Amino acid sequence: MTILFWLGICGSVLAKTIAEYEMATVWLYSVAIFIGIAAWDFTMAVLSSTARAFMNEKALIAISAFSGVCLIGFGVYFGYHGIALLLG
């Protein structure tokens, strides 16, 4: 589900960027966004695997459920705005 969240973010950012900047800048922003996404996901994976040793299963399930709901909400929100910008 994280990919839907990031596609929503990326779509909304790039939709506005395409309208305001030249294509070279759009490509630069696209690459920067994906590098940022990869760095963030790697950091979160390291932190979550480390923190897992200090939490019980019930806490991990609660955190996962809350995170999933948040990701879906943000993905829908930014996806909607990205599509709205693309369609004018």
Side-chain angles (χ1 to χ4, degrees), residues 1-2 4-5 65-79:
M1 289 311 251
T2 12
L4 295 176
F5 171 76
F66 179 72
S67 298
V69 169
C70 290
L71 288 174
I72 290 169
F74 279 117
V76 168
Y77 174 79
F78 286 112

Side-chain angles (χ1 to χ4, degrees), residues 7-17 77-79 81-83 85:
L7 286 176
I9 297 282
C10 189
S12 64
V13 169
L14 290 180
K16 187 174 183 179
T17 305
Y77 174 79
F78 286 112
H81 285 289
I83 291 170
L85 284 172

Side-chain angles (χ1 to χ4, degrees), residues 2-77:
T2 12
I3 192 69
L4 295 176
F5 171 76
W6 289 122
L7 286 176
I9 297 282
C10 189
S12 64
V13 169
L14 290 180
K16 187 174 183 179
T17 305
I18 287 171
E20 296 179 9
Y21 297 98
E22 62 186 47
M23 195 51 85
T25 304
V26 172
W27 279 106
L28 177 65
Y29 285 177
S30 298
V31 169
I33 287 169
F34 284 111
I35 289 172
I37 289 168
W40 179 257
D41 285 348
F42 177 76
T43 302
M44 289 297 103
V46 169
L47 286 175
S48 67
S49 65
T50 303
R52 185 177 192 156
F54 302 106
M55 295 185 168
N56 63 23
E57 190 170 339
K58 194 172 187 178
L60 291 172
I61 290 171
I63 290 170
S64 293
F66 179 72
S67 298
V69 169
C70 290
L71 288 174
I72 290 169
F74 279 117
V76 168
Y77 174 79

